[in-house]
Amino acid sequence: MGILERFTDIIKANINDLLDKAEDPAKMIDQYLRDMTEDLTEVKRETAGVMAEETRAKRMLEDNNREIEKYDGLARKALQAGNEGDARVFLAKKQQLTGKAASLQATYDAAHENAQKMRQLHDKLVGDIESLNARREMVKAKVAVAKAQQKVNQYSSGADKAAGAMDAFSRMEAKADAMLDRASAMADLNQPPRDEAAELEKKYQSAGASSAVDEELEKLKKEMGL
């Protein structure tokens, strides 16, 4: 049965494993539902065909068994009537049908097994579809929350980078202050040594110039009679 081989993976499929491997579980669950619904349509059709074959095989076997019983009964009646020749004919027919019964039984057993497998497959698909439909919105809600959390993490990462940039700027500012302080210190060190004698000389020179001005002023006042 090709249909049984085609859908063996569906029977063995584990929905949780599929979702664990999916990059986007919401899209995966929608796609899986679509695939399973399409598979279920075909499985229903094939299951109906296999079950019909089982019913036909069972009917043929039961009909053959009834024929065996019938000819057995006819043989008994013929013997009771004293017709041994007729009884032989009926028993020969019974043996022929008995030999056929083994083949019919094997056919029915195979058809019954196939029908059970198809029914198992059908029930598995129906159960999985119901399970996925029940969990569909829950899964999508979890995915939405996860995506929102990813965005929050991205913004948090950006804030951390900004804080790192501020720390780096503070370190550069402190380094600039240190460079300025060092330059000022070097400027002070480069100044010539203080000459106290020259400073005192300037003081007395200024004092002498002021005294000469005072004398000149007094002289002028006397000339003018003031």
Side-chain angles (χ1 to χ4, degrees):
M1 294 297 295
I3 185 67
L4 295 177
E5 296 176 357
R6 284 183 58 192
F7 295 108
T8 298
D9 59 332
I10 298 176
I11 294 178
K12 297 178 179 178
N14 186 308
I15 298 172
N16 292 322
D17 289 344
L18 291 173
L19 292 178
D20 289 342
K21 297 175 182 178
E23 295 181 1
D24 191 335
K27 291 182 179 179
M28 180 65 182
I29 202 170
D30 284 342
Q31 182 61 48
Y32 194 63
L33 273 171
R34 286 192 293 270
D35 292 343
M36 289 174 67
T37 301
E38 293 176 1
D39 292 341
L40 181 59
T41 299
E42 185 170 355
V43 168
K44 280 181 179 291
R45 182 172 60 251
E46 294 292 339
T47 300
V50 172
M51 292 177 70
E53 180 63 26
E54 178 194 21
T55 301
R56 188 180 72 85
K58 183 178 181 181
R59 183 170 59 249
M60 292 176 63
L61 177 61
E62 290 175 345
D63 289 346
N64 189 75
N65 288 337
R66 280 193 293 270
E67 288 291 296
I68 292 174
E69 292 177 1
K70 182 181 75 172
Y71 284 107
D72 181 77
L74 290 172
R76 291 175 185 275
K77 288 181 179 180
L79 284 176
Q80 289 174 354
N83 298 320
E84 187 173 331
D86 293 344
R88 286 179 177 275
V89 173
F90 291 140
L91 289 175
K93 184 64 175 180
K94 176 186 175 183
Q95 289 179 355
Q96 179 185 354
L97 293 171
T98 301
K100 183 180 178 182
S103 176
L104 290 174
Q105 183 67 52
T107 300
Y108 169 72
D109 290 343
H112 179 67
E113 182 179 358
N114 286 336
Q116 283 188 320
K117 289 181 179 179
M118 290 304 299
R119 188 69 189 185
Q120 179 186 14
L121 173 59
H122 173 272
D123 294 345
K124 173 69 166 57
L125 278 174
V126 171
D128 283 354
I129 290 174
E130 291 178 352
S131 175
L132 283 179
N133 276 321
R135 297 165 56 193
R136 184 178 188 179
E137 296 305 319
M138 178 186 67
V139 171
K140 287 190 173 183
K142 288 183 178 181
V143 170
V145 172
K147 289 183 177 179
Q149 184 62 54
Q150 288 176 350
K151 289 184 179 180
V152 171
N153 293 341
Q154 291 175 354
Y155 285 118
S156 297
S157 177
D160 292 340
K161 291 181 180 179
M166 292 297 294
D167 291 341
F169 183 84
S170 297
R171 290 195 298 272
M172 288 187 289
E173 186 177 21
K175 186 175 182 179
D177 290 341
M179 291 174 64
L180 181 60
D181 293 341
R182 183 173 297 178
S184 298
M186 289 297 295
D188 290 341
L189 292 174
N190 289 332
Q191 292 291 331
R194 182 179 177 184
D195 190 344
E196 293 185 3
E199 291 179 1
L200 290 174
E201 181 180 355
K202 291 178 181 179
K203 176 181 177 181
Y204 285 105
Q205 286 178 350
S206 297
S210 177
S211 178
V213 170
D214 290 341
E215 291 178 358
E216 185 68 23
L217 178 61
E218 290 297 327
K219 182 179 179 181
L220 182 60
K221 287 169 64 178
K222 289 179 180 180
E223 289 179 356
M224 295 176 62
L226 298 178

